[in-house]
Amino acid sequence: MPAHRIAVIAPSPVSMFNLAIPEMMFGKVEVDGRPGYEVVICAAEPGAVPTSGGLDLHVPRGLDAVHEADTVVVAGTGAPYEPDPRIVTALREAADAGKRIASLCTGAFQLAEAGLLHGRRATTYWAHAEELRRRYPQVDLQGDVLYVQDGPYVTASGYAAGIDLCLHVIRTDYGAAVANEVARLSLVAPVRPGGQTQFTHTPLPPERGTFCADTRGWAMRNLDKPLTLTDLARHAGVSVRTLTRRFHAESGVSPLQWLLHQRIERAKELLETTRLPMDQVARACGLGTADSLRTHVVRRTGLTPSAYRAQFTRLGTGAAGDTSSAA
C-alpha cells in the first residue's frame, strides 16, 4: 500500500514549531515495516520563507504539492489575520477534490477565509479566538478545546495541540495501536480527547506538571482494576480533594475523566490488535461488561465495538470474530 501523502503548507511568516510537528509525528509512522506517510513541506512562493522567529527557511516546493497530496495541513503563522490568497485558492481546490484539510494554531484563518469552515465547528489558539470569531461569524468556533474535526476538516488550537491533532489523524488512518506507538516514540501522552481544554485557565503547579505523573503511570498499569478516586489519592499520598485539584491542573481534566479516556483507548487498542471476546476486552481495560464497553466505544467513535474492530483491525482477515452479542 503506498504511503499516505501529506502536504504541509508554510504561510509567511511561519511558526517553526508548527512546521516541525507534522514532519516529526507523521515521520514516525511505520506500517508493516514501511513508512505510513510521505510528508512534503510547500509554500506559496518557493525559496526563502520567513519564520516568526526571524529566520528564513528554504522551502523548495510550491503549492503544486497540494494537488498531489491526500491530506493538506496548514501551519500557523505570525500574521494570522492576513490569509494568503494563493493558499486560500489552493485550499478551495483541495476541498473541491475531496481532500482532508487540517490547520494548526492560526492556520485556521486560512481555512476560514477559504470558506471551508462556514457552518462547521472549528478551533484556533485561544489568544486569537475572538478575532477569528469577529472576522468569520459563520464559523462555529469552539474556543477552548484542543482540536476538533467536522467532516473532512480538522483544526487544532495552539502549540502542543498540534501533536494531538497529528495523533488523531494517525489513529484515524492506522488505528490506536499505531498512534500510541508514535506517542511513545515521541515521549508524549497517548491521543487526548479533542474536547479537552486548552489549559488557558489552569496554570501549571510548582512541580511543573509532574506531581501526579507516578500515579498516572501506576493507573495505566492497572487499568483492569476498578480504580476509584480514593485509590488514586492513596497512591499519590494526598487527599481526594488535593488529587483532584492537582490532577486537573496538570492534565486539564478530572482524574476520573482521564481514567475513562485511558480505558477507552486501551479497549480500542485491544479491539485492533487481539481477537479477545468483548467481555474479556471490557474486563482487561476496566470497563466491566460488554454492555458498558459498547456504550463507551459508541459514544467515543460512533461505532459499535464489532464495527470498530472490523474497520481498524491490524490482524488477518481469516481470524475468528468476537463472541459477544453485546458488541
Side-chain angles (χ1 to χ4, degrees):
M1 182 175 64
H4 187 102
R5 296 166 298 181
I6 294 183
V8 183
I9 300 177
S12 176
V14 69
S15 161
M16 289 190 291
F17 184 67
N18 270 200
L19 202 58
I21 288 173
E23 191 282 328
M24 177 183 72
M25 303 303 293
F26 295 125
K28 287 181 168 59
V29 175
E30 285 194 3
V31 180
D32 298 328
R34 298 179 179 179
Y37 295 98
E38 175 188 334
V39 181
V40 176
I41 297 175
C42 60
E45 187 170 335
V49 176
T51 72
S52 55
L55 302 175
D56 285 347
L57 292 178
H58 180 69
V59 180
R61 287 296 302 272
L63 294 177
D64 60 294
V66 172
H67 303 298
E68 303 169 3
D70 302 301
T71 295
V72 181
V73 180
V74 185
T77 171
Y81 315 140
E82 299 300 331
D84 188 313
R86 294 166 295 182
I87 295 176
V88 169
T89 297
L91 291 177
R92 287 174 178 156
E93 293 174 352
D96 290 341
K99 301 177 188 292
R100 178 173 56 193
I101 302 176
S103 67
L104 308 181
C105 196
T106 57
F109 282 79
Q110 308 274 357
L111 274 65
E113 181 69 18
L116 308 186
L117 302 181
H118 289 192
R120 294 184 181 271
R121 293 175 296 117
T123 192
T124 190
Y125 185 47
W126 65 270
H128 302 294
E130 286 305 315
E131 181 63 18
L132 190 143
R133 181 178 285 113
R134 185 186 68 80
R135 290 173 64 100
Y136 307 104
Q138 306 94 331
V139 178
D140 181 7
L141 185 64
Q142 310 290 299
D144 194 30
V145 299
L146 293 177
Y147 62 89
V148 61
Q149 178 162 4
D150 192 328
Y153 308 122
V154 196
T155 52
S157 55
Y159 297 100
I163 295 174
D164 296 298
L165 180 145
C166 290
L167 288 173
H168 167 74
V169 169
I170 293 167
R171 182 180 63 186
T172 300
D173 292 342
Y174 294 109
V178 174
N180 288 342
E181 176 64 11
V182 172
R184 185 184 70 81
L185 292 173
S186 304
L187 301 179
V188 298
V191 185
R192 294 187 289 178
Q196 187 168 318
T197 66
Q198 294 182 25
F199 310 116
T200 56
H201 306 299
T202 310
L204 291 175
E207 294 80 6
R208 303 191 182 196
T210 62
F211 180 83
C212 297
D214 287 344
T215 297
R216 286 194 293 268
W218 172 78
M220 290 290 291
R221 295 188 297 272
N222 290 276
L223 288 177
D224 59 324
K225 298 179 175 61
L227 301 177
T228 65
L229 271 176
T230 300
D231 295 328
L232 296 172
R234 183 181 299 114
H235 183 274
V238 296
S239 68
V240 169
R241 175 178 295 182
T242 297
L243 174 81
T244 301
R245 175 173 55 83
R246 304 195 86 160
F247 202 104
H248 195 284
E250 291 182 11
S251 66
V253 294
S254 74
L256 294 184
Q257 286 175 319
W258 177 89
L259 188 60
L260 177 60
H261 176 72
Q262 302 306 330
R263 292 192 192 284
I264 298 171
E265 289 301 304
R266 177 61 175 155
K268 289 163 61 179
E269 185 169 346
L270 290 173
L271 290 171
E272 295 174 23
T273 61
T274 77
R275 301 182 180 93
L276 289 174
M278 296 304 172
D279 56 347
Q280 292 184 31
V281 172
R283 289 196 298 270
C285 63
L287 290 175
T289 67
D291 285 340
S292 177
L293 172 71
R294 178 188 175 94
T295 297
H296 288 295
V297 172
V298 168
R299 185 176 299 156
R300 178 64 57 84
T301 69
L303 300 172
T304 66
S306 288
Y308 184 90
R309 171 173 275 168
Q311 183 167 340
F312 294 107
T313 183
R314 308 304 301 169
L315 303 176
T317 57
D322 64 79
T323 60
S324 172
S325 62

